[in-house]
PDB file of all heavy atoms in Angstrom:
ATOM      1  N   LYS D 165      -6.847  -5.726 -14.820  1.00 98.00           N
ATOM      2  CA  LYS D 165      -6.374  -5.846 -16.196  1.00 98.00           C
ATOM      3  C   LYS D 165      -5.865  -7.258 -16.465  1.00 98.00           C
ATOM      4  O   LYS D 165      -6.149  -7.851 -17.521  1.00 98.00           O
ATOM      5  CB  LYS D 165      -5.264  -4.830 -16.463  1.00 98.00           C
ATOM      6  CG  LYS D 165      -4.547  -4.992 -17.797  1.00 98.00           C
ATOM      7  CD  LYS D 165      -5.488  -4.786 -18.975  1.00 98.00           C
ATOM      8  CE  LYS D 165      -4.759  -4.981 -20.299  1.00 98.00           C
ATOM      9  NZ  LYS D 165      -5.663  -4.827 -21.465  1.00 98.00           N
ATOM     10  N   ARG D 166      -5.120  -7.817 -15.533  1.00 98.00           N
ATOM     11  CA  ARG D 166      -4.572  -9.164 -15.720  1.00 98.00           C
ATOM     12  C   ARG D 166      -5.700 -10.203 -15.819  1.00 98.00           C
ATOM     13  O   ARG D 166      -5.661 -11.114 -16.638  1.00 98.00           O
ATOM     14  CB  ARG D 166      -3.637  -9.506 -14.561  1.00 98.00           C
ATOM     15  CG  ARG D 166      -2.288  -8.778 -14.672  1.00 98.00           C
ATOM     16  CD  ARG D 166      -1.494  -8.783 -13.369  1.00 98.00           C
ATOM     17  NE  ARG D 166      -1.147 -10.116 -12.908  1.00 98.00           N
ATOM     18  CZ  ARG D 166      -0.166 -10.856 -13.395  1.00 98.00           C
ATOM     19  NH1 ARG D 166       0.583 -10.385 -14.378  1.00 98.00           N
ATOM     20  NH2 ARG D 166       0.109 -12.054 -12.898  1.00 98.00           N
ATOM     21  N   LYS D 167      -6.722 -10.035 -14.991  1.00 98.00           N
ATOM     22  CA  LYS D 167      -7.869 -10.944 -15.053  1.00 98.00           C
ATOM     23  C   LYS D 167      -8.580 -10.831 -16.404  1.00 98.00           C
ATOM     24  O   LYS D 167      -8.951 -11.835 -17.021  1.00 98.00           O
ATOM     25  CB  LYS D 167      -8.832 -10.650 -13.929  1.00 98.00           C
ATOM     26  CG  LYS D 167      -8.347 -11.091 -12.555  1.00 98.00           C
ATOM     27  CD  LYS D 167      -9.392 -10.743 -11.493  1.00 98.00           C
ATOM     28  CE  LYS D 167      -8.986 -11.239 -10.128  1.00 98.00           C
ATOM     29  NZ  LYS D 167      -9.993 -10.884  -9.091  1.00 98.00           N
ATOM     30  N   ALA D 168      -8.757  -9.585 -16.855  1.00 98.00           N
ATOM     31  CA  ALA D 168      -9.446  -9.357 -18.127  1.00 98.00           C
ATOM     32  C   ALA D 168      -8.663  -9.957 -19.299  1.00 98.00           C
ATOM     33  O   ALA D 168      -9.242 -10.350 -20.326  1.00 98.00           O
ATOM     34  CB  ALA D 168      -9.640  -7.854 -18.353  1.00 98.00           C
ATOM     35  N   ALA D 169      -7.337 -10.047 -19.132  1.00 98.00           N
ATOM     36  CA  ALA D 169      -6.486 -10.597 -20.177  1.00 98.00           C
ATOM     37  C   ALA D 169      -6.380 -12.122 -20.096  1.00 98.00           C
ATOM     38  O   ALA D 169      -5.690 -12.743 -20.889  1.00 98.00           O
ATOM     39  CB  ALA D 169      -5.087  -9.992 -20.102  1.00 98.00           C
ATOM     40  N   GLY D 170      -7.080 -12.698 -19.109  1.00 98.00           N
ATOM     41  CA  GLY D 170      -7.097 -14.157 -18.983  1.00 98.00           C
ATOM     42  C   GLY D 170      -5.929 -14.748 -18.230  1.00 98.00           C
ATOM     43  O   GLY D 170      -5.671 -15.949 -18.309  1.00 98.00           O
ATOM     44  N   ILE D 171      -5.217 -13.907 -17.492  1.00 97.00           N
ATOM     45  CA  ILE D 171      -4.073 -14.392 -16.715  1.00 97.00           C
ATOM     46  C   ILE D 171      -4.549 -14.860 -15.344  1.00 97.00           C
ATOM     47  O   ILE D 171      -5.346 -14.177 -14.686  1.00 97.00           O
ATOM     48  CB  ILE D 171      -3.016 -13.274 -16.567  1.00 97.00           C
ATOM     49  CG1 ILE D 171      -2.412 -12.971 -17.940  1.00 97.00           C
ATOM     50  CG2 ILE D 171      -1.936 -13.655 -15.580  1.00 97.00           C
ATOM     51  CD1 ILE D 171      -1.482 -11.808 -17.967  1.00 97.00           C
ATOM     52  N   LYS D 172      -4.053 -15.994 -14.917  1.00 95.00           N
ATOM     53  CA  LYS D 172      -4.389 -16.506 -13.590  1.00 95.00           C
ATOM     54  C   LYS D 172      -3.693 -15.644 -12.556  1.00 95.00           C
ATOM     55  O   LYS D 172      -2.461 -15.546 -12.536  1.00 95.00           O
ATOM     56  CB  LYS D 172      -3.966 -17.965 -13.459  1.00 95.00           C
ATOM     57  CG  LYS D 172      -4.393 -18.605 -12.157  1.00 95.00           C
ATOM     58  CD  LYS D 172      -4.014 -20.072 -12.112  1.00 95.00           C
ATOM     59  CE  LYS D 172      -4.453 -20.724 -10.808  1.00 95.00           C
ATOM     60  NZ  LYS D 172      -4.064 -22.162 -10.750  1.00 95.00           N
ATOM     61  N   VAL D 173      -4.454 -15.016 -11.688  1.00 97.00           N
ATOM     62  CA  VAL D 173      -3.915 -14.067 -10.722  1.00 97.00           C
ATOM     63  C   VAL D 173      -3.938 -14.647  -9.313  1.00 97.00           C
ATOM     64  O   VAL D 173      -4.974 -15.155  -8.862  1.00 97.00           O
ATOM     65  CB  VAL D 173      -4.708 -12.742 -10.744  1.00 97.00           C
ATOM     66  CG1 VAL D 173      -4.163 -11.769  -9.704  1.00 97.00           C
ATOM     67  CG2 VAL D 173      -4.666 -12.122 -12.129  1.00 97.00           C
ATOM     68  N   ASN D 174      -2.823 -14.591  -8.646  1.00 97.00           N
ATOM     69  CA  ASN D 174      -2.740 -14.996  -7.245  1.00 97.00           C
ATOM     70  C   ASN D 174      -2.975 -13.737  -6.402  1.00 97.00           C
ATOM     71  O   ASN D 174      -2.171 -12.815  -6.405  1.00 97.00           O
ATOM     72  CB  ASN D 174      -1.369 -15.583  -6.952  1.00 97.00           C
ATOM     73  CG  ASN D 174      -1.248 -16.100  -5.513  1.00 97.00           C
ATOM     74  OD1 ASN D 174      -2.001 -15.706  -4.632  1.00 97.00           O
ATOM     75  ND2 ASN D 174      -0.275 -16.970  -5.267  1.00 97.00           N
ATOM     76  N   GLU D 175      -4.088 -13.697  -5.687  1.00 97.00           N
ATOM     77  CA  GLU D 175      -4.444 -12.513  -4.902  1.00 97.00           C
ATOM     78  C   GLU D 175      -4.128 -12.699  -3.417  1.00 97.00           C
ATOM     79  O   GLU D 175      -4.774 -12.081  -2.574  1.00 97.00           O
ATOM     80  CB  GLU D 175      -5.922 -12.177  -5.111  1.00 97.00           C
ATOM     81  CG  GLU D 175      -6.245 -11.787  -6.548  1.00 97.00           C
ATOM     82  CD  GLU D 175      -7.667 -11.294  -6.692  1.00 97.00           C
ATOM     83  OE1 GLU D 175      -7.950 -10.136  -6.294  1.00 97.00           O
ATOM     84  OE2 GLU D 175      -8.498 -12.060  -7.232  1.00 97.00           O
ATOM     85  N   HIS D 176      -3.117 -13.481  -3.123  1.00 97.00           N
ATOM     86  CA  HIS D 176      -2.718 -13.667  -1.732  1.00 97.00           C
ATOM     87  C   HIS D 176      -2.362 -12.297  -1.121  1.00 97.00           C
ATOM     88  O   HIS D 176      -1.744 -11.449  -1.783  1.00 97.00           O
ATOM     89  CB  HIS D 176      -1.509 -14.596  -1.668  1.00 97.00           C
ATOM     90  CG  HIS D 176      -1.200 -15.084  -0.284  1.00 97.00           C
ATOM     91  ND1 HIS D 176      -0.590 -14.304   0.669  1.00 97.00           N
ATOM     92  CD2 HIS D 176      -1.458 -16.277   0.314  1.00 97.00           C
ATOM     93  CE1 HIS D 176      -0.449 -14.978   1.779  1.00 97.00           C
ATOM     94  NE2 HIS D 176      -0.969 -16.189   1.602  1.00 97.00           N
TER      95      HIS D 176
END
Side-chain angles (χ1 to χ4, degrees):
K165 172 62 181 179
R166 285 164 61 79
K167 287 180 177 179
I171 293 174
K172 185 177 180 180
V173 178
N174 184 340
E175 296 187 75
H176 193 283

